[in-house]
Amino acid sequence: MVRAVPGTHPGMTSLGTSLLRGAIAGAVGTTALNAATYVDMVARARPASSTPERTVEKGAELLGVQIPGDEDARRARESGLGPLLGSAAGVAAGLVLGAMRGAGRPRGRAATFGVASVLAMIAGNGPMTVLGVTDPRTWGATDWVADLIPHLTYAVAATATLEAFEGR
C-alpha cells in the first residue's frame, strides 16, 4: 500500500521509500538486461562484449587510477569491474526512476517504460560513448537491435517492479 507523506499528492511516497523501490526496480531491471544479453550470446553464438572492460580501463586512465597487479591480474580485475559498474549503472537508473515516480512523474505504465528505456540507454551507453569506447553513430542495424533489446527488457522489468510496489 502506498502511504502519502503529509502535504504531498495522495499517490506520492516518501523519498526514502521511492529510492528504495527504485533501487530494487533497477536491480531487477539489470538482472533482466543481463539475462537478455546472455540469451543473445547463446542465440547468435557471439562472444561477450569487451566494452565494459575497456570502459574500466579508460575510466581508470582518465581518473589517474592504477588498477593493481601485473597485466593478467589487471585484465582479470577489469573483467570483474566492468559488469559491477554495469550493475551499479542499472541500480542508479532505477534510483532516478524511483525518485521520479515518487514525485508523481512519470505517470502511468507507458510513460514509466519510456523514461526507464531512456535512462537504461544513457546509463549503459553514456559512459562508454563519452570515453570513446564506442560510437553509436557508427552502429549498424544489427548492433542497434542487439543493444536495444536488453535495454528495453530492463525497462519492462523495472516498470513492472515499480507497478507491483504500487499495487497495480
Side-chain angles (χ1 to χ4, degrees):
M1 170 179 249
V2 176
R3 281 181 261 148
V5 175
T8 65
H9 184 277
M12 294 171 57
T13 59
S14 73
L15 179 59
T17 299
S18 297
L19 291 173
L20 178 60
R21 289 175 176 180
I24 293 168
V28 170
T30 299
T31 300
L33 179 148
N34 288 337
T37 299
Y38 298 140
V39 166
D40 177 55
M41 290 168 65
V42 169
R44 294 193 302 144
R46 71 166 181 85
S49 172
S50 63
T51 56
E53 290 87 355
R54 291 193 339 243
T55 302
V56 169
E57 184 181 328
K58 291 269 195 171
E61 286 174 20
L62 180 69
L63 296 172
V65 174
Q66 178 73 30
I67 297 175
D70 61 21
E71 186 165 337
D72 287 342
R74 279 194 304 279
R75 294 287 170 227
R77 287 186 171 103
E78 289 167 357
S79 71
L81 285 168
L84 280 173
L85 289 176
S87 294
V91 172
L95 284 167
V96 171
L97 187 63
M100 291 174 71
R101 283 286 290 222
R105 295 272 193 241
R107 289 192 180 146
R109 186 174 296 135
T112 301
F113 171 80
V115 171
S117 298
V118 169
L119 288 172
M121 291 294 290
I122 290 170
N125 294 324
M128 292 186 284
T129 302
V130 168
L131 291 171
V133 172
T134 190
D135 185 351
R137 297 173 298 182
T138 66
W139 296 355
T142 301
D143 300 321
W144 272 103
V145 170
D147 193 69
L148 280 171
I149 290 174
H151 288 99
L152 294 176
T153 302
Y154 171 98
V156 167
T159 299
T161 301
L162 288 173
E163 294 269 316
F165 277 126
E166 295 166 4
R168 295 184 186 167

